[in-house]
Every structure is written in C-alpha cells, then in structure tokens.
C-alpha cells in the first residue's frame, strides 16, 4: 500500500506482480530481497527492497512527494525516517505481541510496556502536529509514511486517544491517490478469494 500510494500520488503507472507467501523465500525472490519480504520494486535501472528506499527513490525522481526546495525536501525525508525508525518499531512489537504472546503469563505486562512506548511517541507526534494539516507545510512522503505507520494501530483504539492524529490519518486516507491505491489493493484480495 505504501508504494502503491506513492505511485498514485505522482501519477506513475505501474504493474504489480504478486508473490505468494510460500514463494517469499524462493531463490528468485531472495535475489530481489535477501530478507524474502515484500514489497520490492523494479524499473529499467534498479531493483530495490524496503518501502522507505523505494519511496525515497520516487521522491528523488518525481515531483509531488516533497517540496522542491532543499530544506523542505530534507524535512520531508526526515519525517519518512521518523515514521519508519522512531514511530514504527514499537508498533511492530505490539503487533508481534498480539500475534504470538497472548498465551503467555506475562503478555498483559509486556503489552502495557510496549503500549507506553508507543504512546510516548504519539504524545510527541501529536504535540508537533498540533492543528497543522500535515507534518510540514504541504502533504509529502513524510505524511504518507506516517499515516501508513499509524494505520498499523487500527483496531487498537490507541490513535483515537489523539484526536489530531486520528484526523491526520483520516485526511491521509481521504486523498484520491490513497483511495485509488486501496481500491487496487482490495481488488487483489477479492480476486484471490474467487480464484
Ligand atoms: N521494512 C520492510 C518491511 C517489509 C515487511 O514487513 N513485509 C512483510 C509483508 S508487509 C513481509 O514480507 N513479511 C514476510 C516475511 O517477513 O517473511 C519494508 O518497509 O519494506
């Protein structure tokens, strides 16, 4: 979804090649991503993995994902890193705990500790955002990445504790490019159900 959304924002047509879970560790996919994960990206010049690296390439090659001036661009990229490196890690830990630790005696305590680390990040993010529409002036790849990271908390009720962050996510997912990307992604699931 991150890469699709970025491609939709810049209006760049793309083809999608699905990799079934069972094929992620096949040599052919490991040649594209040594960790055997999706997404990967290929154009005529380069093959990349890591959603952040892929979107950074698109930021460098196209307009529409970051301001043109050097400072604005650097700050958009900074927010991409903040999303991936500072906000996302404890969110991934929470997902892992909810997936694999619910039967452990210490699950509740561990979950509370992870949740506290997430809310410490969201307290700071919410304070920065204040009543801004986006993290800096105009929408950028930094917002795109942050919205996608916060969306990983859907269903936990955590983002809803921060009305300005909930509104920020709502603004992100209301964008026409996000909706096109989501519809395309959903179509993949619908097709795989009927296949
Ligand atoms: N840091 C990577 C994470 C990619 C990732 O977690 N991909 C998941 C699916 S969304 C995956 O391929 N999981 C299978 C696996 O790790 O074996 C990125 O942002 O691209």
């Amino acid at each position: 979804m991150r890469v699709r959304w970025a491609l939709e924002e810049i209006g760049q047509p793309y083809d999608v090649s699905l990799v079934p879970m069972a094929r992620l560790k096949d040599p052919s996919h490991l040649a594209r991503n040594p960790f055997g994960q999706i997404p990967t990206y290929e154009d005529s010049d380069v093959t990349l993995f890591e959603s952040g690296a892929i979107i950074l390439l698109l930021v460098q090659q196209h307009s529409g994902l970051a301001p043109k001036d050097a400072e604005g661009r650097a700050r958009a990229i900074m927010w991409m890193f903040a999303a991936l490196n500072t906000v996302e890690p404890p969110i991934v830990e929470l997902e892992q705990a909810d997936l694999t630790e619910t039967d452990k005696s210490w699950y509740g305590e561990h979950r509370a500790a992870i949740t506290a680390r997430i809310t410490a990040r969201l307290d700071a993010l919410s304070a920065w955002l204040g009543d801004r529409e986006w993290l800096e002036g105009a929408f950028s790849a930094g917002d795109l990445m942050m919205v996608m990271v916060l969306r990983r908390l859907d269903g936990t009720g955590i983002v809803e504790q921060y009305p300005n962050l909930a509104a920020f996510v709502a603004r992100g997912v209301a964008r026409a490019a996000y909706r096109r990307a989501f519809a395309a992604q959903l179509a993949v699931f619908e097709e795989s159900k009927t296949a």
Side-chain angles (χ1 to χ4, degrees):
M1 262 304 291
R2 297 173 184 191
V3 177
R4 275 188 193 274
W5 183 7
L7 288 163
E8 292 288 351
E9 287 286 348
I10 59 178
Q12 177 67 37
Y14 57 95
D15 292 321
V16 175
S17 170
L18 301 178
V19 186
M21 285 299 273
R23 313 300 296 269
L24 283 175
K25 311 301 179 210
D26 282 3
S28 59
H29 189 65
L30 290 175
R32 286 188 289 263
N33 179 344
F35 302 106
Q37 294 189 316
I38 54 161
T40 61
Y41 172 91
E42 291 174 67
D43 65 18
S44 53
D45 298 320
V46 69
T47 298
L48 287 181
F49 61 92
E50 286 295 333
S51 57
I54 297 166
I55 294 174
L56 185 51
L57 179 76
L58 299 176
V59 166
Q60 288 162 340
Q61 288 178 334
H62 301 267
S63 57
L65 286 172
K68 289 196 190 324
D69 66 288
E71 187 193 352
R73 228 171 165 68
R75 289 196 57 95
I77 293 166
M78 171 191 78
W79 281 112
M80 288 176 60
F81 276 89
L84 295 173
N85 219 21
T86 302
V87 180
E88 188 168 43
I91 296 176
V92 173
E93 258 192 89
L94 186 70
E95 277 177 9
Q96 290 298 319
D98 286 347
L99 275 174
T100 63
E101 296 175 358
T102 50
D103 58 339
K104 304 287 190 283
S105 57
W106 38 263
Y107 166 65
E109 224 175 314
H110 188 214
R111 194 178 197 283
I114 301 169
T115 303
R117 289 208 294 279
I118 295 173
T119 53
R121 295 305 191 209
L122 298 199
D123 287 349
L125 184 65
S126 173
W128 169 268
L129 186 67
D131 57 8
R132 287 180 172 90
E133 187 179 15
W134 305 112
L135 291 164
E136 300 282 323
F139 176 84
S140 79
D143 300 295
L144 182 156
M145 203 59 95
M146 195 66 80
V147 166
M148 289 307 299
V149 164
L150 294 177
R151 280 224 50 210
R152 292 187 87 145
L153 290 167
D154 280 4
T156 65
I158 296 175
V159 173
E160 289 74 4
Q161 294 165 28
Y162 302 85
N164 68 338
L165 294 183
F168 169 71
V169 172
R171 276 192 293 280
V173 304
R175 290 178 71 84
Y178 178 96
R179 285 154 55 147
R180 284 194 300 275
F182 188 85
Q185 183 82 355
L186 189 63
V188 167
F189 284 103
E190 299 296 339
E191 277 162 30
S192 67
K193 270 197 295 191
T194 54

